[in-house]
Amino acid sequence: MSTAVETASSAVIVAIDGPSGTGKSSTSKAVAAKLGLSYLDTGAQYRAITWWMLNNGIDVTSPAEIATAAAKPVIISGTDPTGPTITVDGEDASGPIRTQEVTSKVSAVSAVPEVRTIITELQRSIAADAEGGIVVEGRDIGTTVLPDADLKIFLTASPEARAARRSGEVKGSDLAATREALIKRDAADSGRKTSPLAKADDAVEVDTTELTLQQVIECVVTLVEEKRTAA
């Protein structure tokens, strides 16, 4: 049985950033489950607000319309790594937010400063409420959302490796088209003015190109355990 002191020292906040297809979600969930931490997929929150806007007739090509509507949906994220959930206005959105329509529009919606402000505050409150510690994955966690995270990790991989992984996830997808879409998404995320995709100065970079998912998980678990020991 853990003592209060041991529990407090093990309550690490881990920020995992990186572009699509680097293994962020699979790694983050597995690490959180293995170490008894909560888990938050911040990308799902941006997908959720995008899905809500598409469903409610908001013109997602208009930053002004997006900004006006940004505070309306109520997004609730479940943080159990073995079964993360997300609801919008009480409706389960875990399936609908993964459609190609949402995927193609999420960069534009998430680039609007008002959206990022609202979602960032939501993410910070979830992390603050995670008494046992949390793994938070996204694109601006270590730089913007949780700049004081105990451990920051930035996952990378070659565009070819990332496209192959994504194509494997989506049946019948075209590898070249997937690679092109990933590069386009990278450019949009890295080039936006508000909270761009970037590696924090104090982040540990892990190139997953030549690694299996299990190797990536083991690497990150080791980094977290080292941080816990040093705390």
Side-chain angles (χ1 to χ4, degrees):
M1 188 173 172
S2 298
T3 66
V5 174
E6 287 171 341
T7 304
S9 66
S10 65
V12 290
I13 291 180
V14 182
I16 299 184
D17 289 308
S20 302
T22 53
K24 280 199 313 289
S25 294
S26 300
T27 300
S28 299
K29 277 188 276 195
V31 168
K34 193 165 187 176
L35 297 176
L37 301 171
S38 296
Y39 160 76
L40 178 61
D41 174 1
T42 64
Q45 295 175 319
Y46 285 107
R47 285 175 169 274
I49 198 167
T50 301
W51 173 70
W52 181 91
M53 293 205 179
L54 290 169
N55 267 12
N56 285 273
I58 307 301
D59 180 359
V60 294
T61 65
S62 167
E65 273 200 44
I66 293 170
T68 301
K72 292 179 180 178
V74 176
I75 298 169
I76 297 176
S77 298
T79 57
D80 178 353
T82 62
T85 59
I86 187 158
T87 63
V88 183
D89 294 342
E91 184 178 349
D92 178 14
S94 53
I97 64 171
R98 302 294 170 185
T99 62
Q100 185 54 45
E101 185 183 21
V102 171
T103 299
S104 66
K105 301 291 192 298
V106 66
S107 282
V109 173
S110 60
V112 175
E114 287 81 358
V115 169
R116 297 208 77 82
T117 296
I118 287 164
I119 300 294
T120 295
E121 287 307 315
L122 177 60
Q123 292 161 1
R124 286 174 179 161
S125 68
I126 291 169
D129 289 342
E131 293 179 5
I134 190 169
V135 177
V136 183
E137 59 128 324
R139 286 171 168 77
D140 65 339
I141 310 307
T143 52
T144 302
V145 180
L146 300 169
D148 297 324
D150 299 301
L151 175 64
K152 300 174 187 178
I153 295 168
F154 193 84
L155 299 184
T156 65
S158 70
E160 290 73 23
R162 292 163 52 209
R165 290 169 188 167
R166 272 293 149 98
S167 291
E169 292 170 6
V170 184
K171 289 179 182 175
S173 60
D174 179 280
L175 187 60
T178 301
R179 181 180 181 276
E180 192 176 320
L182 284 173
I183 292 171
K184 188 176 179 183
R185 176 79 194 267
D186 288 352
D189 290 344
S190 302
R192 65 172 176 248
K193 291 180 180 179
T194 307
S195 303
L197 164 67
K199 178 190 166 194
D201 292 338
D202 54 348
V204 178
E205 185 168 323
V206 178
D207 189 333
T208 70
T209 304
E210 302 293 334
L211 301 177
T212 64
L213 175 59
Q214 198 53 45
Q215 287 172 323
V216 179
I217 292 165
E218 286 169 7
C219 173
V220 175
V221 164
T222 300
L223 289 168
V224 177
E225 287 179 333
E226 286 174 355
K227 181 59 68 173
R228 276 177 160 177
T229 304

